[in-house]
Structure formats: C-alpha cells, structure tokens
Amino acid sequence: MNYDKYLDDLNYEDADTVLGSVMSAAGFPKVANIADACDVAYLSGNKSDRKIIEQHQPMFYNTLEHRLVNKQDVIDIINQLNANKK
C-alpha cells in the first residue's frame, strides 16, 4: 500500500485523525514512541501526560516527547511504513 496518499490529508485534518487512518490501513503496527493515548493515560502514571490526554482526547500520543502527535510524526510514520514495504 502507498501511504503517501494520506499526506494531503494533513492539510485539512489534524495529525491525530490522519494517523488514525494510516494506522488502521497498516493494521495498527507497533511504532516506536507513539502509543495509544488511553494506554498512556491509564498505565504510565505520568500526571502531565494524563492531563494533556484528558484535555485533548487524542487517539495517539508521542511518549518520547510527552506531547500530542503532530504532522512531522505522521510524515515520519508514513515514510517508515513505505520503507518497510520495500
């Protein structure tokens, strides 16, 4: 599958929504430093992470940088998925 088709979606959808589409199409592969936000909120014990997640209700969370996923995260994941299929 060519995941590049999701890059255009970043122009009018937020990164979390686009990443949800990408991850769904890819079969929800494990991606380094990106986790299910609910898992992070309830399993990490990090109060700062929990506060951000409860406030924004995202699907995914960048655990390395303790923030919501952004466009660059999505671009990096798309590039990784495209590279892995070759």
Side-chain angles (χ1 to χ4, degrees):
M1 168 170 231
N2 184 355
Y3 298 98
D4 288 342
K5 68 181 185 176
Y6 295 101
L7 293 172
D8 186 52
D9 294 349
L10 289 169
N11 292 319
Y12 54 90
E13 299 270 1
D14 67 26
D16 192 62
T17 301
V18 176
L19 185 55
S21 297
V22 171
M23 295 294 275
S24 179
F28 293 95
K30 181 141 178 72
V31 177
N33 305 317
I34 302 297
D36 180 287
C38 291
D39 290 347
V40 174
Y42 297 107
L43 300 175
S44 78
N46 185 314
K47 290 181 183 181
S48 177
D49 288 343
R50 187 177 305 127
K51 183 178 179 180
I52 293 168
I53 292 167
E54 287 175 354
Q55 180 180 359
H56 296 279
Q57 300 291 308
M59 290 182 281
F60 300 98
Y61 194 74
N62 184 312
T63 57
L64 178 67
E65 298 181 17
H66 300 279
R67 61 168 172 73
L68 301 174
V69 295
N70 62 25
K71 287 182 179 185
Q72 190 59 53
D73 292 327
V74 177
I75 292 166
D76 292 345
I77 291 167
I78 287 171
N79 289 338
Q80 180 183 353
L81 290 169
N82 282 333
N84 289 344
K85 71 176 184 171
K86 293 179 181 177

PDB file of all heavy atoms in Angstrom, residues 66-81:
ATOM      1  N   HIS A  66       6.482  13.457  25.131  1.00  0.00           N
ATOM      2  CA  HIS A  66       5.366  13.758  26.041  1.00  0.00           C
ATOM      3  C   HIS A  66       4.472  14.862  25.488  1.00  0.00           C
ATOM      4  O   HIS A  66       4.288  15.916  26.093  1.00  0.00           O
ATOM      5  CB  HIS A  66       5.894  14.126  27.437  1.00  0.00           C
ATOM      6  CG  HIS A  66       6.687  13.036  28.048  1.00  0.00           C
ATOM      7  ND1 HIS A  66       6.096  11.962  28.677  1.00  0.00           N
ATOM      8  CD2 HIS A  66       8.024  12.817  28.095  1.00  0.00           C
ATOM      9  CE1 HIS A  66       7.041  11.145  29.100  1.00  0.00           C
ATOM     10  NE2 HIS A  66       8.222  11.631  28.751  1.00  0.00           N
ATOM     11  N   ARG A  67       3.914  14.577  24.306  1.00  0.00           N
ATOM     12  CA  ARG A  67       3.047  15.546  23.640  1.00  0.00           C
ATOM     13  C   ARG A  67       2.103  14.828  22.691  1.00  0.00           C
ATOM     14  O   ARG A  67       2.265  13.651  22.395  1.00  0.00           O
ATOM     15  CB  ARG A  67       3.876  16.579  22.879  1.00  0.00           C
ATOM     16  CG  ARG A  67       4.730  15.959  21.798  1.00  0.00           C
ATOM     17  CD  ARG A  67       5.314  16.987  20.857  1.00  0.00           C
ATOM     18  NE  ARG A  67       6.264  16.425  19.939  1.00  0.00           N
ATOM     19  CZ  ARG A  67       5.959  15.656  18.893  1.00  0.00           C
ATOM     20  NH1 ARG A  67       4.718  15.346  18.621  1.00  0.00           N
ATOM     21  NH2 ARG A  67       6.918  15.197  18.100  1.00  0.00           N
ATOM     22  N   LEU A  68       1.142  15.573  22.183  1.00  0.00           N
ATOM     23  CA  LEU A  68       0.247  15.054  21.149  1.00  0.00           C
ATOM     24  C   LEU A  68       1.059  14.801  19.887  1.00  0.00           C
ATOM     25  O   LEU A  68       2.096  15.438  19.669  1.00  0.00           O
ATOM     26  CB  LEU A  68      -0.856  16.071  20.851  1.00  0.00           C
ATOM     27  CG  LEU A  68      -1.743  16.484  22.031  1.00  0.00           C
ATOM     28  CD1 LEU A  68      -2.675  17.601  21.608  1.00  0.00           C
ATOM     29  CD2 LEU A  68      -2.512  15.298  22.576  1.00  0.00           C
ATOM     30  N   VAL A  69       0.592  13.883  19.054  1.00  0.00           N
ATOM     31  CA  VAL A  69       1.284  13.667  17.783  1.00  0.00           C
ATOM     32  C   VAL A  69       1.098  14.903  16.912  1.00  0.00           C
ATOM     33  O   VAL A  69       0.093  15.608  17.018  1.00  0.00           O
ATOM     34  CB  VAL A  69       0.792  12.399  17.040  1.00  0.00           C
ATOM     35  CG1 VAL A  69       1.122  11.147  17.822  1.00  0.00           C
ATOM     36  CG2 VAL A  69      -0.678  12.459  16.727  1.00  0.00           C
ATOM     37  N   ASN A  70       2.083  15.158  16.050  1.00  0.00           N
ATOM     38  CA  ASN A  70       1.993  16.306  15.155  1.00  0.00           C
ATOM     39  C   ASN A  70       2.211  15.841  13.710  1.00  0.00           C
ATOM     40  O   ASN A  70       2.386  14.652  13.443  1.00  0.00           O
ATOM     41  CB  ASN A  70       2.976  17.408  15.566  1.00  0.00           C
ATOM     42  CG  ASN A  70       4.427  16.968  15.508  1.00  0.00           C
ATOM     43  OD1 ASN A  70       4.799  16.055  14.783  1.00  0.00           O
ATOM     44  ND2 ASN A  70       5.276  17.632  16.275  1.00  0.00           N
ATOM     45  N   LYS A  71       2.184  16.803  12.799  1.00  0.00           N
ATOM     46  CA  LYS A  71       2.316  16.475  11.377  1.00  0.00           C
ATOM     47  C   LYS A  71       3.629  15.754  11.086  1.00  0.00           C
ATOM     48  O   LYS A  71       3.652  14.805  10.294  1.00  0.00           O
ATOM     49  CB  LYS A  71       2.221  17.740  10.516  1.00  0.00           C
ATOM     50  CG  LYS A  71       0.837  18.306  10.433  1.00  0.00           C
ATOM     51  CD  LYS A  71       0.798  19.529   9.532  1.00  0.00           C
ATOM     52  CE  LYS A  71      -0.609  20.078   9.433  1.00  0.00           C
ATOM     53  NZ  LYS A  71      -0.705  21.188   8.491  1.00  0.00           N
ATOM     54  N   GLN A  72       4.708  16.177  11.719  1.00  0.00           N
ATOM     55  CA  GLN A  72       6.002  15.544  11.460  1.00  0.00           C
ATOM     56  C   GLN A  72       6.001  14.083  11.915  1.00  0.00           C
ATOM     57  O   GLN A  72       6.578  13.228  11.253  1.00  0.00           O
ATOM     58  CB  GLN A  72       7.141  16.313  12.136  1.00  0.00           C
ATOM     59  CG  GLN A  72       8.513  15.826  11.688  1.00  0.00           C
ATOM     60  CD  GLN A  72       8.714  15.958  10.173  1.00  0.00           C
ATOM     61  OE1 GLN A  72       8.517  17.034   9.608  1.00  0.00           O
ATOM     62  NE2 GLN A  72       9.079  14.874   9.513  1.00  0.00           N
ATOM     63  N   ASP A  73       5.335  13.786  13.026  1.00  0.00           N
ATOM     64  CA  ASP A  73       5.209  12.394  13.468  1.00  0.00           C
ATOM     65  C   ASP A  73       4.523  11.561  12.384  1.00  0.00           C
ATOM     66  O   ASP A  73       4.959  10.457  12.056  1.00  0.00           O
ATOM     67  CB  ASP A  73       4.379  12.279  14.755  1.00  0.00           C
ATOM     68  CG  ASP A  73       5.048  12.865  15.966  1.00  0.00           C
ATOM     69  OD1 ASP A  73       6.294  12.803  16.064  1.00  0.00           O
ATOM     70  OD2 ASP A  73       4.320  13.387  16.836  1.00  0.00           O
ATOM     71  N   VAL A  74       3.448  12.091  11.827  1.00  0.00           N
ATOM     72  CA  VAL A  74       2.693  11.367  10.797  1.00  0.00           C
ATOM     73  C   VAL A  74       3.548  11.173   9.550  1.00  0.00           C
ATOM     74  O   VAL A  74       3.595  10.068   8.990  1.00  0.00           O
ATOM     75  CB  VAL A  74       1.370  12.093  10.460  1.00  0.00           C
ATOM     76  CG1 VAL A  74       0.635  11.365   9.341  1.00  0.00           C
ATOM     77  CG2 VAL A  74       0.488  12.214  11.695  1.00  0.00           C
ATOM     78  N   ILE A  75       4.246  12.202   9.134  1.00  0.00           N
ATOM     79  CA  ILE A  75       5.126  12.100   7.965  1.00  0.00           C
ATOM     80  C   ILE A  75       6.203  11.049   8.202  1.00  0.00           C
ATOM     81  O   ILE A  75       6.469  10.201   7.337  1.00  0.00           O
ATOM     82  CB  ILE A  75       5.739  13.474   7.628  1.00  0.00           C
ATOM     83  CG1 ILE A  75       4.648  14.423   7.130  1.00  0.00           C
ATOM     84  CG2 ILE A  75       6.862  13.341   6.601  1.00  0.00           C
ATOM     85  CD1 ILE A  75       5.061  15.882   7.080  1.00  0.00           C
ATOM     86  N   ASP A  76       6.806  11.052   9.391  1.00  0.00           N
ATOM     87  CA  ASP A  76       7.839  10.068   9.715  1.00  0.00           C
ATOM     88  C   ASP A  76       7.294   8.642   9.698  1.00  0.00           C
ATOM     89  O   ASP A  76       7.939   7.724   9.186  1.00  0.00           O
ATOM     90  CB  ASP A  76       8.451  10.360  11.093  1.00  0.00           C
ATOM     91  CG  ASP A  76       9.262  11.647  11.125  1.00  0.00           C
ATOM     92  OD1 ASP A  76       9.608  12.182  10.043  1.00  0.00           O
ATOM     93  OD2 ASP A  76       9.540  12.124  12.242  1.00  0.00           O
ATOM     94  N   ILE A  77       6.101   8.459  10.232  1.00  0.00           N
ATOM     95  CA  ILE A  77       5.487   7.127  10.251  1.00  0.00           C
ATOM     96  C   ILE A  77       5.145   6.667   8.838  1.00  0.00           C
ATOM     97  O   ILE A  77       5.374   5.509   8.478  1.00  0.00           O
ATOM     98  CB  ILE A  77       4.254   7.114  11.176  1.00  0.00           C
ATOM     99  CG1 ILE A  77       4.724   7.261  12.625  1.00  0.00           C
ATOM    100  CG2 ILE A  77       3.436   5.843  10.989  1.00  0.00           C
ATOM    101  CD1 ILE A  77       3.615   7.575  13.612  1.00  0.00           C
ATOM    102  N   ILE A  78       4.616   7.569   8.025  1.00  0.00           N
ATOM    103  CA  ILE A  78       4.320   7.225   6.635  1.00  0.00           C
ATOM    104  C   ILE A  78       5.601   6.819   5.908  1.00  0.00           C
ATOM    105  O   ILE A  78       5.626   5.811   5.195  1.00  0.00           O
ATOM    106  CB  ILE A  78       3.607   8.389   5.917  1.00  0.00           C
ATOM    107  CG1 ILE A  78       2.166   8.506   6.418  1.00  0.00           C
ATOM    108  CG2 ILE A  78       3.637   8.212   4.386  1.00  0.00           C
ATOM    109  CD1 ILE A  78       1.412   9.736   5.948  1.00  0.00           C
ATOM    110  N   ASN A  79       6.656   7.583   6.095  1.00  0.00           N
ATOM    111  CA  ASN A  79       7.942   7.237   5.457  1.00  0.00           C
ATOM    112  C   ASN A  79       8.454   5.884   5.941  1.00  0.00           C
ATOM    113  O   ASN A  79       8.957   5.088   5.149  1.00  0.00           O
ATOM    114  CB  ASN A  79       8.978   8.326   5.726  1.00  0.00           C
ATOM    115  CG  ASN A  79       8.696   9.599   4.971  1.00  0.00           C
ATOM    116  OD1 ASN A  79       7.988   9.599   3.959  1.00  0.00           O
ATOM    117  ND2 ASN A  79       9.200  10.708   5.452  1.00  0.00           N
ATOM    118  N   GLN A  80       8.314   5.616   7.220  1.00  0.00           N
ATOM    119  CA  GLN A  80       8.743   4.332   7.787  1.00  0.00           C
ATOM    120  C   GLN A  80       7.922   3.182   7.207  1.00  0.00           C
ATOM    121  O   GLN A  80       8.471   2.150   6.824  1.00  0.00           O
ATOM    122  CB  GLN A  80       8.582   4.372   9.303  1.00  0.00           C
ATOM    123  CG  GLN A  80       8.983   3.109  10.010  1.00  0.00           C
ATOM    124  CD  GLN A  80       8.741   3.185  11.509  1.00  0.00           C
ATOM    125  OE1 GLN A  80       8.394   4.233  12.055  1.00  0.00           O
ATOM    126  NE2 GLN A  80       8.899   2.075  12.177  1.00  0.00           N
ATOM    127  N   LEU A  81       6.619   3.357   7.118  1.00  0.00           N
ATOM    128  CA  LEU A  81       5.755   2.309   6.565  1.00  0.00           C
ATOM    129  C   LEU A  81       6.059   2.063   5.083  1.00  0.00           C
ATOM    130  O   LEU A  81       6.098   0.919   4.635  1.00  0.00           O
ATOM    131  CB  LEU A  81       4.280   2.670   6.738  1.00  0.00           C
ATOM    132  CG  LEU A  81       3.748   2.629   8.178  1.00  0.00           C
ATOM    133  CD1 LEU A  81       2.370   3.264   8.252  1.00  0.00           C
ATOM    134  CD2 LEU A  81       3.723   1.194   8.691  1.00  0.00           C
TER     135      LEU A  81
END
